């Protein structure tokens, strides 16, 4: 696998701005970017993707007025790994960040890596994150050290606190951080979604006259789920539906603000999620819709997420993209749109601008996308085909939990198996025997990836992997 150098833009910002097609006066400056990232929200948890029992009119509006990707992926179906990929444009194992780090971790994102925020700062943007970080909680790893001007939120998952349903003794009080200071511990989580949204709106208002990047990384609907009083008890789906409607409300407030400030046509708004639903939590978890399994697996229910984006005047309304793409692609794509310099170190994402902007006939720039769990290569997707390598995965063992208590998982296993996602998105029917040529081609692609990114199953370290940052 080659590093993505082809989209590097080495021209100055002023020249880069000239390269951007102009559709109106408002679009002359590099686009503002609002990236809303939900936690553990599944493929089936947004109205336009089939959600039942509550409604998401504002998130749905992104698709109606912009684009929806049907085959959009995260790199790994767990929080830290997924966020590392989103913010570096690299596979998480390349940058040494896998799993879900907690308060004991002495490592975090390396200072050598260039985050999406650092890239955009070099392009002249004001930057903020409101919500969950999860790339290391020690000071050298906080968002303010990695390109964000402003931060308010949790350093890691909202269940890593003394009220954990199964392991209450494992965690110290949960810090709520502003800048680099802990301003509260064990905060009232019913206030988080609304407060993150209010801060996002305030940042947009304060920076209306310059390019801005707001990363709204909601802590919800990761368990334990909470909604504020105004949203509790609203939906037939119960608390989970209330939580999603409150997230949807923050999207609505942002869209209202952009319209009020005349920033609609100069702002790219994206909504997606870090991984699929945590199925063992039953009524407190989301739904993967028609996709197989959920969070923590390399099936599409784990790594497949809803993706919607709106940029009036640039993205044709009602566009649907069925080509595969991944969160690693957002950094190089946004970098090109913003005329910002891409990272010096090799990354894996590619420019999906033609797909995002609805160019007719645009295709995925990836010959293959690779799905690791930690450092274990479990599956590869190329076009319509997804090949699983033999691996174990967690799956519900009996009924799921309810009311915030999880049900039990058991370990199951899958052998070498090929699925044709164009006709079998649910990964039910192994067609490896009918398509030995396809299996051979995907195995060869995987072998190339192993040399570069490693694979614990074959005990390969990989020549292209880098170390995370480590606290002294
Ligand atoms: Mg998550």
């Amino acid at each position: 696998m080659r590093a993505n150098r082809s989209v590097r833009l080495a021209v100055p910002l002023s020249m880069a701005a000239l390269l951007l097609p102009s559709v109106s006066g408002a679009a002359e400056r590099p686009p503002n970017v609002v990236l809303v990232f939900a936690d553990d929200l599944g493929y089936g948890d947004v109205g336009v993707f089939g959600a039942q029992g509550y409604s998401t009119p504002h998130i749905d509006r992104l698709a109606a007025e912009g684009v929806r990707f049907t085959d959009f992926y995260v790199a790994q179906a767990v929080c830290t790994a997924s966020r590392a990929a989103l913010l570096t444009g690299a596979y998480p194992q390349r940058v040494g960040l896998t799993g879900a780090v907690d308060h004991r971790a002495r490592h975090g994102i390396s200072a050598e890596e260039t985050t999406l925020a650092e890239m955009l700062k070099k392009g002249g943007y004001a930057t903020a994150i409101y919500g969950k970080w999860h790339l290391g909680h020690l000071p050298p790893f906080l968002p303010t050290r990695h390109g964000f001007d402003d931060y308010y939120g949790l350093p890691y998952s909202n269940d890593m606190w003394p009220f954990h349903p199964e392991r209450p003794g494992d965690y110290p009080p949960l810090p709520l951080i502003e800048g680099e200071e802990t301003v509260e511990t064990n905060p009232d989580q019913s206030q988080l979604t609304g407060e993150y949204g209010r801060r996002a709106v305030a940042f947009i208002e304060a920076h209306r006259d310059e390019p801005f990047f707001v990363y709204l990384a909601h802590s919800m609907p990761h368990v334990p789920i909470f909604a504020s009083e105004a949203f509790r008890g609203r939906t037939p789906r119960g608390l989970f539906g209330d939580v999603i409607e409150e997230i949807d409300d923050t999207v609505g407030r942002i869209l209202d603000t952009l319209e009020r400030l005349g920033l609609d046509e100069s702002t790219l708004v994206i909504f997606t999620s870090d991984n699929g639903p945590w199925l063992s939590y039953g009524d407190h978890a989301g739904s993967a819709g028609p996709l197989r399994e959920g969070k923590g697996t390399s099936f599409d229910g784990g790594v497949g997420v809803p993706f919607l984006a709106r940029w009036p005047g640039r993205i044709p309304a009602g566009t649907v993209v069925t080509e595969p793409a991944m969160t690693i692609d957002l950094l190089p794509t946004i970098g090109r749109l913003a005329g910002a310099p891409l990272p010096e170190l090799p990354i894996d994402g590619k420019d999906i601008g033609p797909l995002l902007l609805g160019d007719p006939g645009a295709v995925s720039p990836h010959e293959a996308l690779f799905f690791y769990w930690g450092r274990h290569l479990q599956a590869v997707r190329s076009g319509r085909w997804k090949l699983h390598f033999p691996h174990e995965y967690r799956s519900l063992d009996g009924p799921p939990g309810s009311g915030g208590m999880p049900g039990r998982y058991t370990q199951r296993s899958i052998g070498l198996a090929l699925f044709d996602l164009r006709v079998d998105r649910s990964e039910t029917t192994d067609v490896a025997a009918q398509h030995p040529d396809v299996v051979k081609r995907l195995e060869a692609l995987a072998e190339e990836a192993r040399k570069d990114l490693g694979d614990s199953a074959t005990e390969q370290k990989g020549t292209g992997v880098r170390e995370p940052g480590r606290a002294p």
Side-chain angles (χ1 to χ4, degrees), residues 1 10 36 46 48 50 100 137 176 227 283 311 313-314 378 395 407-408 418 456 459:
M1 195 166 29
V36 185
V46 166
V48 70
H137 72 289
L176 176 65
D283 63 340
W311 186 4
R314 295 298 302 275
Q378 296 191 332
S395 186
R408 272 203 323 274
L418 180 71
S456 59
E459 297 185 359

Side-chain angles (χ1 to χ4, degrees), residues 38-41 77-79 83 132 222 274-276 295:
D39 195 349
D40 293 7
L41 177 138
V78 64
C79 298
R83 285 151 211 272
K132 175 176 176 176
H222 191 294
D274 74 331
N275 51 249
K295 173 179 178 177

Side-chain angles (χ1 to χ4, degrees), residues 10 16 40 55 78 92 128 146 158 173 188 193 278 287 374 397 407 426 449 458 462:
D40 293 7
S55 59
V78 64
H146 293 274
N158 62 323
D188 175 358
T193 299
W278 199 343
S287 163
D397 185 25
S426 305
T458 55

Side-chain angles (χ1 to χ4, degrees), residues 436-459:
D437 52 328
V438 175
V439 172
K440 202 172 160 189
R441 184 172 69 81
L442 268 60
E443 281 183 324
L445 289 167
E447 201 46 53
E448 286 303 303
R450 288 186 184 104
K451 288 177 194 160
D452 181 18
L453 290 164
D455 184 2
S456 59
T458 55
E459 297 185 359

